[in-house]
């Protein structure tokens, strides 16, 4: 949290926080990103000390394309926590997810958090690559984790090799 990258919004991009009435926008971004419907109320409003300013949106040309939520982790008091980081598939590869995550990291740092945690699914390789590029490190809390991370790193390496050929 001490060496956060600066938040620079390219031309056409903007950032804003949640306001009441945008729940359907958040739900549509997350549904497109994950392929499943998630209720804003159940996923965000009812957990982790929700406040509207903790939900960040990145828009391109005034259309919301990515979101990240930065709250306190109830399991690890005093730790920041990312919830439901997602980008619309039509906007992937434009850096919007990275912008949302950097904004969320800066939000946590401004609120005094010195560290943060997140969780994700093994299949979310682009997200995992983003998290690793921002300095996150795997935490092995289950006996299955070392083997799963070995597979993830192999898949990321193969993906990177395919990009350069």
């Amino acid at each position: 949290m001490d060496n956060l990258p600066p938040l620079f919004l390219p031309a056409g991009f903007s950032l804003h926080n949640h306001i009441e009435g945008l729940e359907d926008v958040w739900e549509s971004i997350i549904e497109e990103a994950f392929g499943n419907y998630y209720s804003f109320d159940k996923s965000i409003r009812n957990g982790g000390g929700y406040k509207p300013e903790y939900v960040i949106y990145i828009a391109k040309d005034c259309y919301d394309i990515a979101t990240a939520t930065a709250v306190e982790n109830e399991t690890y008091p005093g730790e920041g926590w990312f919830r439901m980081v997602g980008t619309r598939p039509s906007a992937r590869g434009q850096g919007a997810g990275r912008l949302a995550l950097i904004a969320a990291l800066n939000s946590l740092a401004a609120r005094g958090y010195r560290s943060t945690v997140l969780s994700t699914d093994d299949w979310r390789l682009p997200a995992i690559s983003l998290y690793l590029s921002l300095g996150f490190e795997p935490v092995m809390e289950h006996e299955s984790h070392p083997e799963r991370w070995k597979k993830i790193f192999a898949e990321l390496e193969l993906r990177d090799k395919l990009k350069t050929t």
Side-chain angles (χ1 to χ4, degrees):
M1 297 290 281
D2 292 330
N3 298 309
L4 296 178
L7 178 63
F8 171 76
L9 295 170
F13 284 82
S14 59
L15 176 147
H16 66 91
N17 297 99
H18 185 76
I19 57 173
E20 297 307 311
L22 287 182
E23 294 80 2
D24 61 331
V25 171
W26 182 92
E27 290 171 349
S28 72
I29 293 171
I30 294 301
E31 184 171 7
E32 287 180 36
F34 289 89
N36 291 306
Y37 171 79
Y38 291 87
S39 160
F40 183 88
D41 285 340
K42 287 182 181 176
S43 300
I44 300 298
R45 193 184 319 267
N46 296 331
Y50 162 80
K51 290 185 180 180
E53 60 268 26
Y54 297 170
V55 181
I56 295 164
Y57 296 89
I58 297 295
K60 184 172 184 190
D61 300 325
C62 300
Y63 179 65
D64 291 320
I65 59 174
T67 186
T69 301
V71 295
E72 180 162 299
N73 187 325
E74 296 170 333
T75 305
Y76 303 100
E79 295 255 28
W81 186 29
F82 290 106
R83 301 267 315 148
M84 308 303 282
V85 178
T87 301
R88 294 184 192 275
S90 61
R92 289 189 182 142
Q94 298 178 32
R98 182 178 189 81
L99 293 172
L101 201 54
I102 291 170
L105 280 166
N106 280 289
S107 169
L108 288 168
R111 295 188 329 239
Y113 290 95
R114 304 308 324 143
S115 63
T116 187
V117 296
L118 60 84
S119 61
T120 192
D121 298 302
D122 295 20
W123 59 268
R124 297 194 68 223
L125 294 178
I128 292 169
S129 181
L130 170 60
Y131 303 145
L132 293 171
S133 77
L134 290 171
F136 285 90
E137 297 176 0
V139 175
M140 310 294 178
E141 294 182 327
H142 186 270
E143 64 186 31
S144 69
H145 288 176
E147 188 60 34
R148 289 167 60 190
W149 275 105
K150 182 178 176 183
K151 182 179 176 188
I152 288 167
F153 282 124
E155 289 178 27
L156 288 173
E157 185 176 330
L158 177 60
R159 189 183 70 135
D160 290 343
K161 284 181 183 177
L162 290 174
K163 282 184 183 177
T164 60
T165 58

